[in-house]
Amino acid sequence: MQRWIEIKTVFVKEMTEIMRNTRILIAAFAFPLLIFPIVFGGMSWLQDLDRGQMEQTGIRVMLPSYNQDIEDFITENLDIPVQFFHTEEISKSIINDEADIGIVMDMQKAPERNLWLYYTASRNTSMHARQKIQQLFSENRFEWINKFLKYDISEFDDSRFVPLTIDFSDVASDRERSGHRVAKILPFVLIMILVSGCSFAAVDLIAGEKERGCFETLLVSPVQRTNVIIGKMSIVVFSALIGLISNMVSLFITAKLGFFDLTGEQTFEFIIGIETIAVIFLCSLPMTVLFASLLMFISAGAKSYQSGQTLLMPFTFLAMIPAVTAILPGMRSDSILVLIPVANIVLVMRELLEGTLKIWPLLVGNLINVLAASGVVILTVRGLNREGSLVPGSSTDSDRMLKDFRNDPVKVVFIGFIVVWLGMFYVMAPLQADNLILGLLLTLWGLIFCAGLIMVKIQNLSFRKTLSLNNPGWSGWLGAVIFQTGFLPVILFFNHLLTNLLPLPDQWLEHFSDALMPDVSTFGLLMLMAVSPGITEEILFRGAILGSLRKKWSMTPVILVSGIMFGLLHFSVYRLFGATMIGFALAWMVYASGSIYPAIVAHILNNALALVVIPELGLQDVNEYWLLLGIPLVILGGYLLSFRTAKRDLKRSAVNASNIGESDHGGGSI
Amino acid sequence: MINVYELSRVFYDPQRGQINAVNRLSFTAEKGQILGLLGPNGAGKTTTLRILATLLDPTSGHATLNGFDVVKEPEKVRASLGFLSSTTGLYPRLTPEETLRFFGQINGMEKMQLKQRIDELITEFGITEYARVRCEKLSSGMKQKVSIARALVQYPPVLVFDEPTVGLDVIAAAQTMKTILEYKKRGKCIIYSTHIMSEVEKLCDRIAIIHKGSLQALGSMEDLRKQTGKRYLEDIFFSLMETDHDSVQNDMLM
């Protein structure tokens, strides 16, 4: 019995210590919870971007000669734009990127009614076209029997009743195909080597030296701090590159010696040539500088080597998202991915190995990475030049801030937001998938509304003041209605412009219209989709979050941060822009009117109008006239909203001239 | 050599609000003198020294070291300064010889001059035997010797020692103090910060007693005796602290 008591005592003590260690909590709890939503969310977002772009561009089909049956069939049934070209040399045209897919079908010779699809596995567009065409013909295999009959008048045998069979011919060269196999994993491994190479050195040179007190002695020497930082950054880069070179050399030698034959086609040795290694090395340089400076910056947040390692772990996993996305089947550098650091370099390495690399993704990708690396280097040098960033003990102010959660509104808001976000993702999203109405009600009232109230309660703040539960006066109520009536068309217009850049996938549109729930009455729909979100989301975002943040920050950052959080909670890249803009406007309304009620009215109105306007008119009808209609209303509404606070400020300034300007920061709390 | 005038440094703490770590502190220190900074933990000694070493900026007030302003000419201040903190701050994987060479180089010393200086310091501090052993393998006393040698490598006119005997045994602590006295004789201006009374009594020409960031008393042992009517430094110290009874409790929170 005594043993168990002792074990329990030790357990409770350790548990108490662990629960007070923010870093362990992040590493052991928050990070494992966040990793999948972030990794899969990030990956699917990147894939969506790519897919959206392809669906807009359409596909190019090559046929040996004009064939009305096939061309009409594809044009009528395929939901994306199709262009047809004709040549006898189908394979060559695919290799030369003159078409995405080649279709050959000899319909007159029974029984060989095969549909031959020529494609190349080394091009994303070709793989996409293959998938589309294959699906189309597979679904209509039997329909083609009728079409064959037209050609088979002279002969009569059973073969004409045989449905269409589909065969494939990959025109990618051996080099492309074998490179394809190697390229599936190698770039990812190299990126991980760079990240781990940088992280070990960064954590030792920054967090480790901080712990050992070496920084203090170094920084009291006449050497300039910036030079110390750049000197250290160079060695972090160097050590990561040494790791990369060692890895490449080992790969090269192993390939030369023929220890392995990944491809079965003896072309591996050819792929990993000196030129390939040189290009990979050069492309890795900006990436390494980016990793090195970022990791150094992060490690400066740790006091010891060990806590530095804990801090860097999540970053290592974050770097995996673009890297993993870029090695997914079908991802190519001729897409938007070339603009994303890490993903672009993995794609370039991958295509280099496959032998399909074009010059412009190489240049654009590297240019982007050089710019990103320069930006991060500047930020890191500036950040580490700040007093207290490298010498332990001098950052007492920030250390102590960690100790008092309740008194730090920013921390309450950020942690609260993460909890709500996780709750939405893990609990509410599955619930909504199961039962939409119940799920929505629970999300809005059970999670969002309660989170808002808890945030205020936990800080021991006044509900009335923090949530701005003040009467906005007639001008506030009216202003909200006029403002939002004008703001929605403006947002829809810009959203429409954005949709051209970032096409909505069909799947998403379908999902959205499903969510409108045809079996619910209009009143129910309005209560569920307009009134409930209007009240609950406003209490959280424009009430608790805005009310807490403005204790610490001025108006602009509060509006920006609360607006972005509002956007992020909408869980979709396509709704991010609109929701964030509306978030900014609603937050401004609270400042302008000194009350949350106009924001609630505007939010309800916005959702109600969106429920009616979007399904009735559709986004395709949005044009410049919407702007002309919206902007005057926004101006008038804005004037009315700030009418009362402006008047009050005038009165106040007449009483005490020194109070002028306060309304900017505290208008809403009075 | 060191002039500190109305120096203040404020930190922000959400729990306790504004903390005046150093509050309108003024003192001077001369060539060939040791000024002792005496105060309990959290009195503001380290913050003051960090401002002098240009690691922290003052919130208000001025300080000059060897005639250079700590805010306006930080590089010149650092070139005039040998700084030793309570942690030895040595690179564990470098040898004493390499450590001295590195600090000589970043202080802009020429190769031949540096080589001569390293030999000089190695002989003076009796570390010849360990000159090529990695610092991580040295004893605490030996590490402190290397650390002091490191602070002296560029012939700085001003030396700042922040609790240099923390963690040392009696013999090593005595050796450290002996070295400091030796450098006083050579005309260096020295600031010695500690909370150990006996060290201050043995070493310092003038003593500044600091509490809660403010100067409580400044002068020689004789001056302090006259001011407080007490004979021993410990009694002097406590008589100055008695003005604030809950000080000990507050300091524990720092």
Side-chain angles (χ1 to χ4, degrees):
Chain A
M1 196 60 198
Q2 185 60 27
R3 171 187 288 178
W4 292 112
I5 292 171
E6 283 171 6
I7 290 174
K8 190 189 139 208
T9 313
V10 173
F11 178 84
V12 170
K13 175 254 165 194
E14 299 299 349
M15 175 64 91
T16 315
E17 276 206 323
I18 282 179
M19 294 307 282
R20 287 177 188 167
N21 186 332
T22 323
R23 291 203 176 93
I24 291 186
L25 284 183
I26 292 171
F29 179 69
F31 181 66
L33 265 178
L34 280 166
I35 185 75
F36 286 118
I38 291 175
V39 169
F40 291 126
M43 275 164 53
S44 65
W45 178 63
L46 292 170
Q47 274 185 309
D48 274 355
L49 285 178
D50 211 40
R51 200 180 302 131
Q53 198 189 30
M54 276 194 300
E55 303 225 330
Q56 204 180 28
T57 323
I59 57 172
R60 297 165 301 163
V61 177
M62 187 65 83
L63 298 163
S65 57
Y66 176 69
N67 183 321
Q68 195 185 353
D69 284 325
I70 293 181
E71 293 183 19
D72 287 353
F73 173 71
I74 292 177
T75 316
E76 282 162 22
N77 292 295
L78 214 56
D79 51 0
I80 54 174
V82 187
Q83 278 178 286
F84 293 97
F85 302 94
H86 307 102
T87 179
E88 284 296 321
E89 294 175 322
I90 297 276
S91 300
K92 207 174 148 191
S93 70
I94 306 287
I95 293 166
N96 293 339
D97 197 15
E98 289 157 15
D100 302 312
I101 188 156
I103 303 177
V104 178
M105 180 159 54
D106 191 350
M107 288 185 285
Q108 299 188 37
K109 286 183 187 166
E112 290 154 5
R113 283 162 185 151
N114 284 0
L115 180 76
W116 278 95
L117 298 183
Y118 290 79
Y119 70 101
T120 169
S122 66
R123 257 200 334 268
N124 191 25
T125 44
S126 185
M127 292 292 282
H128 178 66
R130 190 197 105 157
Q131 188 201 346
K132 284 270 175 193
I133 297 290
Q134 182 197 351
Q135 194 184 358
L136 183 66
F137 279 92
S138 301
E139 282 167 2
N140 300 284
R141 284 160 68 216
F142 292 94
E143 209 180 280
W144 280 85
I145 293 172
N146 292 330
K147 295 190 198 291
F148 297 144
L149 282 172
K150 196 165 75 179
Y151 298 97
D152 283 353
I153 303 295
S154 56
E155 295 173 40
F156 186 83
D157 61 49
D158 289 347
S159 65
R160 65 190 166 195
F161 298 113
V162 175
L164 187 69
T165 54
I166 301 170
D167 284 312
F168 301 101
S169 172
D170 183 358
V171 299
S173 66
D174 281 353
R175 188 194 189 289
E176 278 177 21
R177 231 173 297 153
S178 49
H180 204 67
R181 292 181 201 171
V182 182
K184 270 180 190 162
I185 191 69
L186 188 60
F188 179 74
V189 171
L190 294 179
I191 287 289
M192 285 301 113
I193 283 171
L194 283 184
V195 174
S196 63
C198 286
S199 70
F200 285 119
V203 82
D204 186 49
L205 292 186
I206 303 290
E209 293 211 349
K210 218 168 156 180
E211 185 181 15
R212 296 188 288 266
C214 298
F215 262 119
E216 203 168 12
T217 46
L218 186 56
L219 295 176
V220 293
S221 65
V223 64
Q224 280 201 5
R225 204 167 171 144
T226 304
N227 298 345
V228 172
I229 297 163
I230 293 175
K232 283 181 181 286
M233 202 179 277
S234 313
I235 192 66
V236 176
V237 170
F238 180 75
S239 68
L241 289 179
I242 288 290
L244 182 76
I245 293 170
S246 315
N247 193 259
M248 298 294 296
V249 167
S250 113
L251 184 70
F252 182 72
I253 293 172
T254 323
K256 274 275 181 212
L257 294 176
F259 278 170
F260 52 83
D261 181 13
L262 262 180
T263 63
E265 284 147 18
Q266 299 295 335
T267 48
F268 191 62
E269 187 191 318
F270 167 67
I271 296 160
I272 312 289
I274 290 291
E275 307 84 352
T276 313
I277 290 183
V279 176
I280 289 180
F281 182 76
L282 288 175
C283 290
S284 304
L285 280 174
M287 212 64 255
T288 317
V289 174
L290 192 144
F291 286 148
S293 44
L294 195 61
L295 293 172
M296 280 174 66
F297 186 75
I298 298 172
S299 358
K303 279 184 192 163
S304 64
Y305 185 87
Q306 211 179 354
S307 61
Q309 281 182 316
T310 327
L311 268 184
L312 291 194
M313 189 187 72
F315 172 82
T316 313
F317 283 96
L318 280 182
M320 280 167 64
I321 303 170
V324 169
T325 310
I327 55 166
L328 287 178
M331 289 293 161
R332 308 304 305 172
S333 67
D334 49 4
S335 69
I336 200 155
L337 284 178
V338 79
L339 301 177
I340 297 170
V342 184
N344 55 19
I345 216 67
V346 171
L347 283 172
V348 162
M349 287 186 200
R350 181 178 160 174
E351 290 178 6
L352 182 72
L353 292 165
E354 287 170 359
T356 57
L357 182 65
K358 290 178 198 147
I359 191 75
W360 76 263
L362 180 74
L363 295 177
V364 173
N366 277 302
L367 180 71
I368 294 276
N369 291 350
V370 167
L371 289 175
S374 316
V376 177
V377 167
I378 292 170
L379 284 178
T380 303
V381 171
R382 280 193 181 174
L384 299 189
N385 253 309
R386 269 201 344 243
E387 175 193 79
S389 59
L390 294 176
V391 182
S394 51
S395 57
T396 39
D397 39 354
S398 63
D399 293 342
R400 288 194 182 140
M401 280 169 97
L402 291 172
K403 288 184 185 160
D404 201 341
F405 177 74
R406 287 176 173 227
N407 287 342
D408 188 349
V410 176
K411 202 172 173 192
V412 170
V413 165
F414 276 88
I415 292 185
F417 176 74
I418 291 173
V419 171
V420 170
W421 197 91
L422 287 172
M424 295 269 287
F425 191 89
Y426 279 106
V427 185
M428 297 307 168
L431 251 174
Q432 286 183 23
D434 196 43
N435 183 334
L436 187 58
I437 297 174
L438 181 70
L440 262 176
L441 284 173
L442 274 174
T443 308
L444 294 170
W445 292 98
L447 181 68
I448 292 180
F449 185 73
C450 291
L453 299 185
I454 291 169
M455 258 188 211
V456 180
K457 186 74 194 155
I458 213 169
Q459 299 178 81
N460 284 328
L461 298 174
S462 141
F463 279 101
R464 201 182 70 83
K465 276 188 179 177
T466 314
L467 302 178
S468 310
L469 304 175
N470 308 310
N471 182 3
W474 66 269
S475 56
W477 295 106
L478 185 65
V481 174
I482 296 177
F483 184 96
Q484 199 59 37
T485 315
F487 196 66
L488 183 70
V490 173
I491 285 299
L492 287 178
F493 174 75
F494 285 109
N495 227 357
H496 176 64
L497 288 186
L498 197 73
T499 315
N500 290 338
L501 293 174
L502 191 75
L504 285 174
D506 296 345
Q507 190 193 348
W508 192 84
L509 281 172
E510 279 162 22
H511 179 75
F512 191 72
S513 53
D514 284 348
L516 293 178
M517 297 167 287
D519 51 337
V520 178
S521 69
T522 313
F523 176 75
L525 202 64
L526 283 174
M527 289 308 286
L528 198 60
M529 304 283 280
V531 177
S532 286
I535 297 170
T536 55
E537 291 178 5
E538 288 316 297
I539 289 294
L540 176 65
F541 287 96
R542 261 62 62 180
I545 289 180
L546 185 144
S548 304
L549 289 179
R550 78 173 160 206
K551 280 164 67 72
K552 267 287 189 56
W553 296 349
S554 62
M555 183 171 84
T556 315
V558 171
I559 291 182
L560 289 177
V561 169
S562 65
I564 291 169
M565 282 182 168
F566 184 64
L568 287 176
L569 208 75
H570 285 76
F571 282 99
S572 160
V573 63
Y574 304 103
R575 289 163 74 185
L576 181 67
F577 171 78
T580 307
M581 289 299 135
I582 290 169
F584 292 158
L586 293 171
W588 174 80
M589 276 186 200
V590 177
Y591 273 98
S593 66
S595 165
I596 196 172
Y597 297 122
I600 293 179
V601 169
H603 195 147
I604 294 174
L605 187 69
N606 178 76
N607 287 21
L609 284 175
L611 278 176
V612 180
V613 172
I614 296 180
E616 284 298 318
L617 296 173
L619 276 174
Q620 65 275 14
D621 292 333
V622 176
N623 55 44
E624 295 78 15
Y625 292 109
W626 290 48
L627 265 189
L628 289 177
L629 173 79
I631 289 174
L633 289 175
V634 168
I635 294 171
L636 176 65
Y639 171 74
L640 282 171
L641 278 164
S642 45
F643 181 68
R644 199 155 162 263
T645 38
K647 221 165 96 177
R648 190 177 54 199
D649 288 344
L650 268 177
K651 252 189 209 169
R652 200 191 294 160
S653 61
V655 176
N656 185 352
S658 65
N659 279 350
I660 292 175
E662 293 245 326
S663 63
D664 268 358
H665 297 275
S669 64
I670 297 156
Chain B
M1 288 232 109
I2 297 175
N3 276 301
V4 173
Y5 180 72
E6 297 271 304
L7 199 70
S8 296
R9 170 66 202 217
V10 176
F11 289 116
Y12 171 75
D13 179 85
Q15 218 169 355
R16 297 156 61 203
Q18 188 173 302
I19 299 166
N20 297 315
V22 177
N23 193 12
R24 303 183 70 182
L25 198 64
S26 300
F27 61 82
T28 57
E30 302 303 328
K31 203 176 166 187
Q33 263 194 3
I34 301 180
L35 172 76
L37 283 189
L38 183 66
N41 290 336
K45 304 185 298 287
T46 299
T47 306
T48 309
L49 298 184
R50 282 188 168 156
I51 294 173
L52 288 178
T54 76
L55 287 171
L56 292 177
D57 283 335
T59 310
S60 64
H62 305 282
T64 58
L65 197 142
N66 198 23
F68 304 115
D69 189 293
V70 292
V71 177
K72 291 175 191 151
E73 299 157 296
E75 273 107 38
K76 286 181 182 166
V77 167
R78 295 201 293 262
S80 316
L81 176 71
F83 186 90
L84 190 77
S85 67
S86 47
T87 56
T88 53
L90 295 175
Y91 296 104
R93 294 179 288 271
L94 289 192
T95 66
E97 194 182 326
E98 288 163 342
T99 306
L100 295 177
R101 190 177 305 125
F102 171 64
F103 279 93
Q105 281 167 346
I106 57 170
N107 273 287
M109 291 174 79
E110 281 179 15
K111 207 175 172 184
M112 286 313 291
Q113 186 201 13
L114 179 60
K115 194 173 178 302
Q116 202 183 338
R117 179 65 175 154
I118 292 170
D119 291 342
E120 217 172 272
L121 287 167
I122 285 177
T123 317
E124 188 185 330
F125 282 87
I127 43 180
T128 320
E129 205 180 321
Y130 304 96
R132 290 182 182 174
V133 176
R134 285 186 187 190
C135 288
E136 62 192 353
K137 294 190 175 158
L138 302 180
S139 68
S140 302
M142 196 58 79
K143 277 182 188 161
Q144 192 66 326
K145 279 186 182 179
V146 177
S147 200
I148 297 174
R150 194 263 311 145
L152 294 168
V153 72
Q154 86 277 25
Y155 305 99
V158 179
L159 294 173
V160 169
F161 294 94
D162 187 10
E163 307 195 351
T165 55
V166 169
L168 297 187
D169 62 28
V170 189
I171 300 166
Q175 275 177 342
T176 303
M177 289 199 288
K178 202 177 144 196
T179 312
I180 292 168
L181 275 174
E182 172 61 30
Y183 274 84
K184 175 198 152 184
K185 283 181 199 155
R186 293 191 199 175
K188 305 278 178 193
C189 168
I190 298 171
I191 294 192
Y192 189 92
S193 154
T194 185
H195 58 268
I196 305 169
M197 317 272 171
S198 58
E199 290 183 359
V200 175
E201 275 187 300
K202 276 182 205 160
L203 283 177
C204 302
D205 302 292
R206 289 165 73 234
I207 302 161
I209 297 179
I210 304 177
H211 180 48
K212 288 189 170 177
S214 302
L215 190 69
Q216 306 293 318
L218 174 67
S220 64
M221 221 21 223
E222 274 312 303
D223 296 335
L224 297 182
R225 279 179 187 142
K226 276 181 203 159
Q227 191 184 329
T228 57
K230 309 274 178 189
R231 180 171 168 70
Y232 298 105
L233 184 58
E234 198 168 312
D235 297 331
I236 294 169
F237 182 79
F238 280 111
S239 73
L240 289 165
M241 297 294 118
E242 267 168 17
T243 49
D244 191 353
H245 288 288
D246 57 359
S247 63
V248 177
Q249 203 185 352
N250 279 345
D251 289 334
M252 283 167 73
L253 290 170
M254 298 288 278

